[in-house]
Amino acid sequence: MVERFPEDFIFGGATAAYQAEGATRIDGKGRVAWDNYLKENYWYIAEPASDFYHQYPIDLDLCERFNINGIRISIAWSRIFPKGYGEVNPKGVEYYHRLFERCHEHHVEPFVTLHHFDTPEALHENGDFVNRENVEHFVNYAEFCFKEFTEVNYWTTFNEIGPIGDGQYLVGKFPPGIQYDFEKLFQFHHNMMVAHAKAVNLFRTHNIKGEIGIVHALPTKYPLNPEDPKDVQAAELEDIIHNKFILDATYLGEYSDATMKGVKHILKVNGGTLDLREEDFEALRAAKDQNDFLGINYYMSDWMKAYEGENIITHNSKGVKGGSRYALKGVGEREFNVDIPRTDWDWIIYPQGLYDQIMRIKQDYPNYNKIYITENGLGYKDEFDVEQQTVHDKARIDYIESHLSAIQEAIRDGAEVKGYFLWSLIDVFSWSNGYEKRYGLFYVDFNTQQRYPKESAYWYKRVAEQKHL
């Protein structure tokens, strides 16, 4: 018997405003920190990206034709509030109304994220979420969107709090480009989780229709040698940094003793203190059982080994396999040279890690309600076949199939997983990796903005239609 996905399972595609829309300087959109940071630090800009701002009718038509019934979309905060607060930009509001209306016309459910790596420039320069004032600006922005866009049924507050903090304050690959500042990292994560909690509590207080949740990137951490206590500790500390700290805030409304023990150890070694207030925990506790869903973004797992040296991170931005180094003082080092496939960007391909992460949520945070896999996909240097007008991406098909199989196993073992959103629906620009790292079901010629279905798009269409692999 062929195992089928549930009839209400969503087969979706994911996008993000700044990575797909382009149109960064028109119709009243305010600036974000990335506008200058890309020019100064990378070899590309987000203009016109995939021109989703103008091409969305084509992309939604492709969704309908290829049986994709859900799409992750983010609202560009600075398209609504150019400075992050104050005066509303009516052209931005009108754009998203048109976009959401067109989604429903094509029978594609929009899952809408309020913040996907793109804090307005004025607020980012004012400390981003390390500055508590910006928590309130976010909540006010969220309230406006909840009340304005009544056609939205699924809301996400934040996308990937963990990688934003990591990119901004550990690796330094995101603006403002700070490295090895653990105090800012944890304070940033904590304040963003307070902002999430306050938005959820407001959503409930105002009886907004629909559902609300948060999307966390959850890379699974394993000790390189499970018999070595130091490797085990390295995996546990990395898990606290990237997963457990924000998961505790989401579902416990506080940080467990084990989590805080790890945080204090990391701060003792690297320096720094945190400002954690009782009023923060009041908001977190009020929200912890109010999340309708958890979005899990999963791409890879990491194997951790003991490390005694200073902080060293080498970011592999151009896809040169073996070019990565990630070692944290007082924590541990990632070992990339393990007997498991990895991408050119040294992302280790391990579907079992997705299963383990889902089951970890089920076991450790039983008030999770339900899960959507909100991002998963293979970044690849696609080669376009001009004659056949497609991309032969069997590696991507194999990647998706193996991860969907892991989801099926988790569902069979009792986890409530209700959908899968492939990153990405169309090729987009990839933050610190540019346009060469492609993820889409649909190939985008960035010169002409023409869309071409890849072989993976036809495969995904069949799976979505038949509900089995």
Side-chain angles (χ1 to χ4, degrees), residues 130 132 181-191 240 245 255 259-268 271-277 280-281:
V130 174
R132 287 175 174 271
D181 192 327
F182 289 88
E183 177 182 290
K184 279 191 170 64
L185 172 82
F186 284 117
Q187 193 68 56
F188 181 83
H189 288 172
H190 172 78
N191 290 358
I240 288 170
F245 188 77
Y255 304 112
T259 296
M260 283 311 301
K261 181 181 178 181
V263 170
K264 289 175 180 177
H265 164 77
I266 294 166
L267 292 178
K268 181 179 179 180
T273 58
L274 300 183
D275 176 15
L276 309 179
R277 304 177 184 178
D280 301 342
F281 292 107

PDB file of all heavy atoms in Angstrom, residues 130 132 181-191 240 245 255 259-268 271-277 280-281:
ATOM      1  N   VAL A 130      17.592  44.656  19.650  1.00  0.00           N
ATOM      2  CA  VAL A 130      18.331  44.826  20.901  1.00  0.00           C
ATOM      3  C   VAL A 130      17.768  46.025  21.658  1.00  0.00           C
ATOM      4  O   VAL A 130      17.793  46.067  22.887  1.00  0.00           O
ATOM      5  CB  VAL A 130      19.837  44.999  20.620  1.00  0.00           C
ATOM      6  CG1 VAL A 130      20.592  45.314  21.901  1.00  0.00           C
ATOM      7  CG2 VAL A 130      20.412  43.727  19.983  1.00  0.00           C
ATOM      8  N   ARG A 132      14.696  47.894  23.026  1.00  0.00           N
ATOM      9  CA  ARG A 132      13.339  47.518  23.400  1.00  0.00           C
ATOM     10  C   ARG A 132      12.265  48.428  22.783  1.00  0.00           C
ATOM     11  O   ARG A 132      11.109  48.010  22.661  1.00  0.00           O
ATOM     12  CB  ARG A 132      13.194  47.513  24.926  1.00  0.00           C
ATOM     13  CG  ARG A 132      13.896  46.352  25.601  1.00  0.00           C
ATOM     14  CD  ARG A 132      13.833  46.443  27.114  1.00  0.00           C
ATOM     15  NE  ARG A 132      14.389  45.254  27.751  1.00  0.00           N
ATOM     16  CZ  ARG A 132      13.682  44.167  28.050  1.00  0.00           C
ATOM     17  NH1 ARG A 132      12.385  44.126  27.769  1.00  0.00           N
ATOM     18  NH2 ARG A 132      14.265  43.135  28.635  1.00  0.00           N
ATOM     19  N   ASP A 181      29.442  38.521  19.348  1.00  0.00           N
ATOM     20  CA  ASP A 181      28.843  39.277  20.451  1.00  0.00           C
ATOM     21  C   ASP A 181      27.662  38.468  20.998  1.00  0.00           C
ATOM     22  O   ASP A 181      26.526  38.606  20.553  1.00  0.00           O
ATOM     23  CB  ASP A 181      28.391  40.657  19.974  1.00  0.00           C
ATOM     24  CG  ASP A 181      28.025  41.583  21.136  1.00  0.00           C
ATOM     25  OD1 ASP A 181      27.522  41.081  22.159  1.00  0.00           O
ATOM     26  OD2 ASP A 181      28.223  42.811  21.007  1.00  0.00           O
ATOM     27  N   PHE A 182      27.948  37.608  21.969  1.00  0.00           N
ATOM     28  CA  PHE A 182      26.932  36.710  22.505  1.00  0.00           C
ATOM     29  C   PHE A 182      25.899  37.462  23.333  1.00  0.00           C
ATOM     30  O   PHE A 182      24.744  37.037  23.406  1.00  0.00           O
ATOM     31  CB  PHE A 182      27.593  35.602  23.331  1.00  0.00           C
ATOM     32  CG  PHE A 182      28.348  34.612  22.505  1.00  0.00           C
ATOM     33  CD1 PHE A 182      29.686  34.819  22.182  1.00  0.00           C
ATOM     34  CD2 PHE A 182      27.731  33.465  22.041  1.00  0.00           C
ATOM     35  CE1 PHE A 182      30.384  33.901  21.410  1.00  0.00           C
ATOM     36  CE2 PHE A 182      28.417  32.535  21.277  1.00  0.00           C
ATOM     37  CZ  PHE A 182      29.752  32.754  20.953  1.00  0.00           C
ATOM     38  N   GLU A 183      26.294  38.545  23.958  1.00  0.00           N
ATOM     39  CA  GLU A 183      25.330  39.333  24.725  1.00  0.00           C
ATOM     40  C   GLU A 183      24.242  39.880  23.810  1.00  0.00           C
ATOM     41  O   GLU A 183      23.044  39.744  24.094  1.00  0.00           O
ATOM     42  CB  GLU A 183      26.031  40.479  25.444  1.00  0.00           C
ATOM     43  CG  GLU A 183      25.067  41.396  26.211  1.00  0.00           C
ATOM     44  CD  GLU A 183      25.775  42.559  26.868  1.00  0.00           C
ATOM     45  OE1 GLU A 183      26.528  42.324  27.838  1.00  0.00           O
ATOM     46  OE2 GLU A 183      25.573  43.705  26.404  1.00  0.00           O
ATOM     47  N   LYS A 184      24.652  40.487  22.706  1.00  0.00           N
ATOM     48  CA  LYS A 184      23.669  41.002  21.756  1.00  0.00           C
ATOM     49  C   LYS A 184      22.832  39.875  21.165  1.00  0.00           C
ATOM     50  O   LYS A 184      21.627  40.009  20.956  1.00  0.00           O
ATOM     51  CB  LYS A 184      24.354  41.797  20.643  1.00  0.00           C
ATOM     52  CG  LYS A 184      24.706  43.237  21.003  1.00  0.00           C
ATOM     53  CD  LYS A 184      25.140  44.010  19.765  1.00  0.00           C
ATOM     54  CE  LYS A 184      25.265  45.510  20.057  1.00  0.00           C
ATOM     55  NZ  LYS A 184      26.313  45.807  21.023  1.00  0.00           N
ATOM     56  N   LEU A 185      23.468  38.737  20.867  1.00  0.00           N
ATOM     57  CA  LEU A 185      22.759  37.600  20.293  1.00  0.00           C
ATOM     58  C   LEU A 185      21.589  37.168  21.175  1.00  0.00           C
ATOM     59  O   LEU A 185      20.437  37.103  20.727  1.00  0.00           O
ATOM     60  CB  LEU A 185      23.726  36.430  20.105  1.00  0.00           C
ATOM     61  CG  LEU A 185      23.083  35.103  19.693  1.00  0.00           C
ATOM     62  CD1 LEU A 185      22.831  35.072  18.201  1.00  0.00           C
ATOM     63  CD2 LEU A 185      23.951  33.919  20.111  1.00  0.00           C
ATOM     64  N   PHE A 186      21.863  36.873  22.441  1.00  0.00           N
ATOM     65  CA  PHE A 186      20.811  36.380  23.324  1.00  0.00           C
ATOM     66  C   PHE A 186      19.789  37.464  23.645  1.00  0.00           C
ATOM     67  O   PHE A 186      18.586  37.184  23.727  1.00  0.00           O
ATOM     68  CB  PHE A 186      21.417  35.809  24.609  1.00  0.00           C
ATOM     69  CG  PHE A 186      22.048  34.462  24.437  1.00  0.00           C
ATOM     70  CD1 PHE A 186      23.411  34.281  24.652  1.00  0.00           C
ATOM     71  CD2 PHE A 186      21.289  33.362  24.067  1.00  0.00           C
ATOM     72  CE1 PHE A 186      23.997  33.037  24.507  1.00  0.00           C
ATOM     73  CE2 PHE A 186      21.868  32.102  23.911  1.00  0.00           C
ATOM     74  CZ  PHE A 186      23.230  31.942  24.126  1.00  0.00           C
ATOM     75  N   GLN A 187      20.238  38.713  23.822  1.00  0.00           N
ATOM     76  CA  GLN A 187      19.287  39.785  24.107  1.00  0.00           C
ATOM     77  C   GLN A 187      18.361  40.019  22.919  1.00  0.00           C
ATOM     78  O   GLN A 187      17.160  40.230  23.082  1.00  0.00           O
ATOM     79  CB  GLN A 187      20.023  41.079  24.445  1.00  0.00           C
ATOM     80  CG  GLN A 187      19.102  42.150  25.047  1.00  0.00           C
ATOM     81  CD  GLN A 187      18.600  41.765  26.429  1.00  0.00           C
ATOM     82  OE1 GLN A 187      19.393  41.494  27.335  1.00  0.00           O
ATOM     83  NE2 GLN A 187      17.276  41.730  26.603  1.00  0.00           N
ATOM     84  N   PHE A 188      18.928  39.974  21.733  1.00  0.00           N
ATOM     85  CA  PHE A 188      18.158  40.116  20.490  1.00  0.00           C
ATOM     86  C   PHE A 188      17.102  39.022  20.394  1.00  0.00           C
ATOM     87  O   PHE A 188      15.922  39.287  20.124  1.00  0.00           O
ATOM     88  CB  PHE A 188      19.136  40.047  19.318  1.00  0.00           C
ATOM     89  CG  PHE A 188      18.528  40.187  17.949  1.00  0.00           C
ATOM     90  CD1 PHE A 188      18.263  41.440  17.413  1.00  0.00           C
ATOM     91  CD2 PHE A 188      18.270  39.069  17.171  1.00  0.00           C
ATOM     92  CE1 PHE A 188      17.742  41.574  16.131  1.00  0.00           C
ATOM     93  CE2 PHE A 188      17.744  39.188  15.894  1.00  0.00           C
ATOM     94  CZ  PHE A 188      17.478  40.442  15.369  1.00  0.00           C
ATOM     95  N   HIS A 189      17.510  37.777  20.619  1.00  0.00           N
ATOM     96  CA  HIS A 189      16.561  36.658  20.550  1.00  0.00           C
ATOM     97  C   HIS A 189      15.465  36.810  21.601  1.00  0.00           C
ATOM     98  O   HIS A 189      14.276  36.587  21.322  1.00  0.00           O
ATOM     99  CB  HIS A 189      17.297  35.332  20.740  1.00  0.00           C
ATOM    100  CG  HIS A 189      18.131  34.942  19.564  1.00  0.00           C
ATOM    101  ND1 HIS A 189      18.996  33.863  19.585  1.00  0.00           N
ATOM    102  CD2 HIS A 189      18.246  35.471  18.318  1.00  0.00           C
ATOM    103  CE1 HIS A 189      19.589  33.748  18.416  1.00  0.00           C
ATOM    104  NE2 HIS A 189      19.163  34.721  17.638  1.00  0.00           N
ATOM    105  N   HIS A 190      15.857  37.173  22.809  1.00  0.00           N
ATOM    106  CA  HIS A 190      14.872  37.337  23.879  1.00  0.00           C
ATOM    107  C   HIS A 190      13.873  38.444  23.536  1.00  0.00           C
ATOM    108  O   HIS A 190      12.651  38.246  23.647  1.00  0.00           O
ATOM    109  CB  HIS A 190      15.592  37.678  25.190  1.00  0.00           C
ATOM    110  CG  HIS A 190      14.673  38.056  26.303  1.00  0.00           C
ATOM    111  ND1 HIS A 190      13.954  37.123  27.036  1.00  0.00           N
ATOM    112  CD2 HIS A 190      14.334  39.282  26.820  1.00  0.00           C
ATOM    113  CE1 HIS A 190      13.224  37.741  27.944  1.00  0.00           C
ATOM    114  NE2 HIS A 190      13.436  39.052  27.835  1.00  0.00           N
ATOM    115  N   ASN A 191      14.368  39.590  23.104  1.00  0.00           N
ATOM    116  CA  ASN A 191      13.470  40.709  22.811  1.00  0.00           C
ATOM    117  C   ASN A 191      12.538  40.396  21.648  1.00  0.00           C
ATOM    118  O   ASN A 191      11.368  40.807  21.654  1.00  0.00           O
ATOM    119  CB  ASN A 191      14.278  41.969  22.519  1.00  0.00           C
ATOM    120  CG  ASN A 191      14.978  42.528  23.751  1.00  0.00           C
ATOM    121  OD1 ASN A 191      14.830  42.000  24.857  1.00  0.00           O
ATOM    122  ND2 ASN A 191      15.752  43.586  23.566  1.00  0.00           N
ATOM    123  N   ILE A 240      21.333  25.069  22.411  1.00  0.00           N
ATOM    124  CA  ILE A 240      20.791  26.187  23.191  1.00  0.00           C
ATOM    125  C   ILE A 240      20.854  27.487  22.383  1.00  0.00           C
ATOM    126  O   ILE A 240      19.885  28.246  22.316  1.00  0.00           O
ATOM    127  CB  ILE A 240      21.547  26.331  24.527  1.00  0.00           C
ATOM    128  CG1 ILE A 240      21.165  25.188  25.472  1.00  0.00           C
ATOM    129  CG2 ILE A 240      21.253  27.683  25.179  1.00  0.00           C
ATOM    130  CD1 ILE A 240      22.019  25.094  26.716  1.00  0.00           C
ATOM    131  N   PHE A 245      16.867  28.004  23.316  1.00  0.00           N
ATOM    132  CA  PHE A 245      16.568  29.292  23.942  1.00  0.00           C
ATOM    133  C   PHE A 245      15.262  29.860  23.401  1.00  0.00           C
ATOM    134  O   PHE A 245      14.381  30.281  24.164  1.00  0.00           O
ATOM    135  CB  PHE A 245      17.736  30.254  23.688  1.00  0.00           C
ATOM    136  CG  PHE A 245      17.645  31.559  24.431  1.00  0.00           C
ATOM    137  CD1 PHE A 245      17.957  31.634  25.778  1.00  0.00           C
ATOM    138  CD2 PHE A 245      17.267  32.725  23.780  1.00  0.00           C
ATOM    139  CE1 PHE A 245      17.898  32.845  26.475  1.00  0.00           C
ATOM    140  CE2 PHE A 245      17.201  33.939  24.454  1.00  0.00           C
ATOM    141  CZ  PHE A 245      17.515  34.005  25.802  1.00  0.00           C
ATOM    142  N   TYR A 255      12.813  30.269  30.523  1.00  0.00           N
ATOM    143  CA  TYR A 255      13.956  29.460  30.118  1.00  0.00           C
ATOM    144  C   TYR A 255      14.222  28.412  31.186  1.00  0.00           C
ATOM    145  O   TYR A 255      14.313  28.731  32.379  1.00  0.00           O
ATOM    146  CB  TYR A 255      15.185  30.354  29.909  1.00  0.00           C
ATOM    147  CG  TYR A 255      14.918  31.464  28.913  1.00  0.00           C
ATOM    148  CD1 TYR A 255      14.867  32.805  29.318  1.00  0.00           C
ATOM    149  CD2 TYR A 255      14.653  31.169  27.578  1.00  0.00           C
ATOM    150  CE1 TYR A 255      14.590  33.812  28.407  1.00  0.00           C
ATOM    151  CE2 TYR A 255      14.366  32.173  26.665  1.00  0.00           C
ATOM    152  CZ  TYR A 255      14.331  33.490  27.085  1.00  0.00           C
ATOM    153  OH  TYR A 255      14.033  34.487  26.192  1.00  0.00           O
ATOM    154  N   THR A 259      18.694  25.349  30.151  1.00  0.00           N
ATOM    155  CA  THR A 259      18.962  26.371  29.137  1.00  0.00           C
ATOM    156  C   THR A 259      19.749  27.529  29.736  1.00  0.00           C
ATOM    157  O   THR A 259      20.760  27.972  29.184  1.00  0.00           O
ATOM    158  CB  THR A 259      17.643  26.879  28.527  1.00  0.00           C
ATOM    159  OG1 THR A 259      16.995  25.798  27.845  1.00  0.00           O
ATOM    160  CG2 THR A 259      17.887  28.015  27.550  1.00  0.00           C
ATOM    161  N   MET A 260      19.303  28.027  30.883  1.00  0.00           N
ATOM    162  CA  MET A 260      19.985  29.177  31.489  1.00  0.00           C
ATOM    163  C   MET A 260      21.388  28.815  31.970  1.00  0.00           C
ATOM    164  O   MET A 260      22.300  29.650  31.925  1.00  0.00           O
ATOM    165  CB  MET A 260      19.161  29.736  32.643  1.00  0.00           C
ATOM    166  CG  MET A 260      17.981  30.570  32.198  1.00  0.00           C
ATOM    167  SD  MET A 260      18.389  31.841  30.962  1.00  0.00           S
ATOM    168  CE  MET A 260      19.615  32.822  31.829  1.00  0.00           C
ATOM    169  N   LYS A 261      21.581  27.586  32.395  1.00  0.00           N
ATOM    170  CA  LYS A 261      22.922  27.151  32.784  1.00  0.00           C
ATOM    171  C   LYS A 261      23.868  27.255  31.589  1.00  0.00           C
ATOM    172  O   LYS A 261      25.003  27.748  31.706  1.00  0.00           O
ATOM    173  CB  LYS A 261      22.888  25.724  33.321  1.00  0.00           C
ATOM    174  CG  LYS A 261      24.251  25.201  33.773  1.00  0.00           C
ATOM    175  CD  LYS A 261      24.154  23.771  34.285  1.00  0.00           C
ATOM    176  CE  LYS A 261      25.527  23.246  34.697  1.00  0.00           C
ATOM    177  NZ  LYS A 261      25.444  21.827  35.171  1.00  0.00           N
ATOM    178  N   GLY A 262      23.396  26.816  30.425  1.00  0.00           N
ATOM    179  CA  GLY A 262      24.209  26.900  29.220  1.00  0.00           C
ATOM    180  C   GLY A 262      24.459  28.333  28.786  1.00  0.00           C
ATOM    181  O   GLY A 262      25.576  28.694  28.398  1.00  0.00           O
ATOM    182  N   VAL A 263      23.421  29.179  28.858  1.00  0.00           N
ATOM    183  CA  VAL A 263      23.568  30.582  28.480  1.00  0.00           C
ATOM    184  C   VAL A 263      24.585  31.276  29.387  1.00  0.00           C
ATOM    185  O   VAL A 263      25.468  32.014  28.922  1.00  0.00           O
ATOM    186  CB  VAL A 263      22.201  31.309  28.540  1.00  0.00           C
ATOM    187  CG1 VAL A 263      22.382  32.818  28.376  1.00  0.00           C
ATOM    188  CG2 VAL A 263      21.263  30.769  27.470  1.00  0.00           C
ATOM    189  N   LYS A 264      24.467  31.041  30.683  1.00  0.00           N
ATOM    190  CA  LYS A 264      25.398  31.675  31.630  1.00  0.00           C
ATOM    191  C   LYS A 264      26.833  31.217  31.393  1.00  0.00           C
ATOM    192  O   LYS A 264      27.780  32.010  31.519  1.00  0.00           O
ATOM    193  CB  LYS A 264      24.957  31.367  33.064  1.00  0.00           C
ATOM    194  CG  LYS A 264      23.677  32.099  33.468  1.00  0.00           C
ATOM    195  CD  LYS A 264      23.211  31.682  34.859  1.00  0.00           C
ATOM    196  CE  LYS A 264      21.927  32.416  35.238  1.00  0.00           C
ATOM    197  NZ  LYS A 264      21.411  31.977  36.563  1.00  0.00           N
ATOM    198  N   HIS A 265      27.005  29.945  31.054  1.00  0.00           N
ATOM    199  CA  HIS A 265      28.352  29.443  30.747  1.00  0.00           C
ATOM    200  C   HIS A 265      28.919  30.173  29.532  1.00  0.00           C
ATOM    201  O   HIS A 265      30.076  30.630  29.555  1.00  0.00           O
ATOM    202  CB  HIS A 265      28.293  27.941  30.476  1.00  0.00           C
ATOM    203  CG  HIS A 265      29.511  27.415  29.788  1.00  0.00           C
ATOM    204  ND1 HIS A 265      30.711  27.189  30.430  1.00  0.00           N
ATOM    205  CD2 HIS A 265      29.720  27.088  28.475  1.00  0.00           C
ATOM    206  CE1 HIS A 265      31.605  26.750  29.558  1.00  0.00           C
ATOM    207  NE2 HIS A 265      31.031  26.676  28.368  1.00  0.00           N
ATOM    208  N   ILE A 266      28.128  30.292  28.473  1.00  0.00           N
ATOM    209  CA  ILE A 266      28.597  30.945  27.245  1.00  0.00           C
ATOM    210  C   ILE A 266      28.946  32.406  27.506  1.00  0.00           C
ATOM    211  O   ILE A 266      29.972  32.914  27.033  1.00  0.00           O
ATOM    212  CB  ILE A 266      27.529  30.815  26.135  1.00  0.00           C
ATOM    213  CG1 ILE A 266      27.372  29.342  25.724  1.00  0.00           C
ATOM    214  CG2 ILE A 266      27.896  31.671  24.918  1.00  0.00           C
ATOM    215  CD1 ILE A 266      26.128  29.062  24.888  1.00  0.00           C
ATOM    216  N   LEU A 267      28.103  33.103  28.271  1.00  0.00           N
ATOM    217  CA  LEU A 267      28.366  34.517  28.578  1.00  0.00           C
ATOM    218  C   LEU A 267      29.560  34.678  29.522  1.00  0.00           C
ATOM    219  O   LEU A 267      30.307  35.659  29.425  1.00  0.00           O
ATOM    220  CB  LEU A 267      27.124  35.169  29.173  1.00  0.00           C
ATOM    221  CG  LEU A 267      25.929  35.321  28.212  1.00  0.00           C
ATOM    222  CD1 LEU A 267      24.738  35.929  28.941  1.00  0.00           C
ATOM    223  CD2 LEU A 267      26.290  36.171  27.001  1.00  0.00           C
ATOM    224  N   LYS A 268      29.747  33.734  30.419  1.00  0.00           N
ATOM    225  CA  LYS A 268      30.913  33.807  31.323  1.00  0.00           C
ATOM    226  C   LYS A 268      32.210  33.698  30.528  1.00  0.00           C
ATOM    227  O   LYS A 268      33.180  34.429  30.776  1.00  0.00           O
ATOM    228  CB  LYS A 268      30.828  32.696  32.366  1.00  0.00           C
ATOM    229  CG  LYS A 268      31.984  32.719  33.360  1.00  0.00           C
ATOM    230  CD  LYS A 268      31.850  31.606  34.398  1.00  0.00           C
ATOM    231  CE  LYS A 268      33.027  31.625  35.377  1.00  0.00           C
ATOM    232  NZ  LYS A 268      32.903  30.540  36.389  1.00  0.00           N
ATOM    233  N   GLY A 271      31.841  36.864  27.795  1.00  0.00           N
ATOM    234  CA  GLY A 271      31.503  38.187  28.298  1.00  0.00           C
ATOM    235  C   GLY A 271      30.075  38.572  27.988  1.00  0.00           C
ATOM    236  O   GLY A 271      29.501  38.161  26.983  1.00  0.00           O
ATOM    237  N   GLY A 272      29.478  39.372  28.877  1.00  0.00           N
ATOM    238  CA  GLY A 272      28.137  39.888  28.630  1.00  0.00           C
ATOM    239  C   GLY A 272      27.145  39.499  29.700  1.00  0.00           C
ATOM    240  O   GLY A 272      27.306  38.500  30.411  1.00  0.00           O
ATOM    241  N   THR A 273      26.099  40.320  29.829  1.00  0.00           N
ATOM    242  CA  THR A 273      24.984  40.056  30.737  1.00  0.00           C
ATOM    243  C   THR A 273      23.688  40.343  29.993  1.00  0.00           C
ATOM    244  O   THR A 273      23.670  41.052  28.982  1.00  0.00           O
ATOM    245  CB  THR A 273      25.055  40.951  31.987  1.00  0.00           C
ATOM    246  OG1 THR A 273      25.055  42.329  31.568  1.00  0.00           O
ATOM    247  CG2 THR A 273      26.302  40.678  32.798  1.00  0.00           C
ATOM    248  N   LEU A 274      22.586  39.804  30.499  1.00  0.00           N
ATOM    249  CA  LEU A 274      21.293  39.974  29.847  1.00  0.00           C
ATOM    250  C   LEU A 274      20.338  40.768  30.716  1.00  0.00           C
ATOM    251  O   LEU A 274      20.396  40.713  31.948  1.00  0.00           O
ATOM    252  CB  LEU A 274      20.673  38.604  29.532  1.00  0.00           C
ATOM    253  CG  LEU A 274      21.469  37.695  28.605  1.00  0.00           C
ATOM    254  CD1 LEU A 274      20.689  36.412  28.337  1.00  0.00           C
ATOM    255  CD2 LEU A 274      21.816  38.391  27.300  1.00  0.00           C
ATOM    256  N   ASP A 275      19.446  41.484  30.059  1.00  0.00           N
ATOM    257  CA  ASP A 275      18.385  42.243  30.718  1.00  0.00           C
ATOM    258  C   ASP A 275      17.077  41.475  30.511  1.00  0.00           C
ATOM    259  O   ASP A 275      16.397  41.632  29.493  1.00  0.00           O
ATOM    260  CB  ASP A 275      18.309  43.646  30.102  1.00  0.00           C
ATOM    261  CG  ASP A 275      17.154  44.476  30.660  1.00  0.00           C
ATOM    262  OD1 ASP A 275      16.595  44.092  31.702  1.00  0.00           O
ATOM    263  OD2 ASP A 275      16.806  45.502  30.031  1.00  0.00           O
ATOM    264  N   LEU A 276      16.757  40.618  31.478  1.00  0.00           N
ATOM    265  CA  LEU A 276      15.542  39.801  31.429  1.00  0.00           C
ATOM    266  C   LEU A 276      14.611  40.284  32.531  1.00  0.00           C
ATOM    267  O   LEU A 276      14.949  40.187  33.710  1.00  0.00           O
ATOM    268  CB  LEU A 276      15.877  38.316  31.620  1.00  0.00           C
ATOM    269  CG  LEU A 276      16.986  37.739  30.725  1.00  0.00           C
ATOM    270  CD1 LEU A 276      17.207  36.262  31.046  1.00  0.00           C
ATOM    271  CD2 LEU A 276      16.644  37.912  29.248  1.00  0.00           C
ATOM    272  N   ARG A 277      13.441  40.777  32.148  1.00  0.00           N
ATOM    273  CA  ARG A 277      12.557  41.429  33.107  1.00  0.00           C
ATOM    274  C   ARG A 277      11.315  40.587  33.375  1.00  0.00           C
ATOM    275  O   ARG A 277      10.840  39.860  32.500  1.00  0.00           O
ATOM    276  CB  ARG A 277      12.141  42.799  32.569  1.00  0.00           C
ATOM    277  CG  ARG A 277      13.316  43.696  32.233  1.00  0.00           C
ATOM    278  CD  ARG A 277      12.884  45.013  31.633  1.00  0.00           C
ATOM    279  NE  ARG A 277      14.041  45.820  31.225  1.00  0.00           N
ATOM    280  CZ  ARG A 277      13.960  47.009  30.639  1.00  0.00           C
ATOM    281  NH1 ARG A 277      12.763  47.552  30.410  1.00  0.00           N
ATOM    282  NH2 ARG A 277      15.051  47.659  30.284  1.00  0.00           N
ATOM    283  N   ASP A 280       8.636  40.866  30.871  1.00  0.00           N
ATOM    284  CA  ASP A 280       8.861  40.062  29.664  1.00  0.00           C
ATOM    285  C   ASP A 280       8.243  38.674  29.840  1.00  0.00           C
ATOM    286  O   ASP A 280       7.561  38.156  28.954  1.00  0.00           O
ATOM    287  CB  ASP A 280      10.360  39.896  29.391  1.00  0.00           C
ATOM    288  CG  ASP A 280      11.090  41.200  29.196  1.00  0.00           C
ATOM    289  OD1 ASP A 280      10.436  42.223  28.921  1.00  0.00           O
ATOM    290  OD2 ASP A 280      12.335  41.199  29.299  1.00  0.00           O
ATOM    291  N   PHE A 281       8.509  38.084  31.001  1.00  0.00           N
ATOM    292  CA  PHE A 281       8.041  36.718  31.229  1.00  0.00           C
ATOM    293  C   PHE A 281       6.525  36.673  31.414  1.00  0.00           C
ATOM    294  O   PHE A 281       5.889  35.655  31.101  1.00  0.00           O
ATOM    295  CB  PHE A 281       8.783  36.096  32.412  1.00  0.00           C
ATOM    296  CG  PHE A 281      10.237  35.867  32.124  1.00  0.00           C
ATOM    297  CD1 PHE A 281      11.211  36.677  32.697  1.00  0.00           C
ATOM    298  CD2 PHE A 281      10.645  34.879  31.253  1.00  0.00           C
ATOM    299  CE1 PHE A 281      12.549  36.485  32.424  1.00  0.00           C
ATOM    300  CE2 PHE A 281      11.986  34.666  30.962  1.00  0.00           C
ATOM    301  CZ  PHE A 281      12.946  35.482  31.550  1.00  0.00           C
TER     302      PHE A 281
END
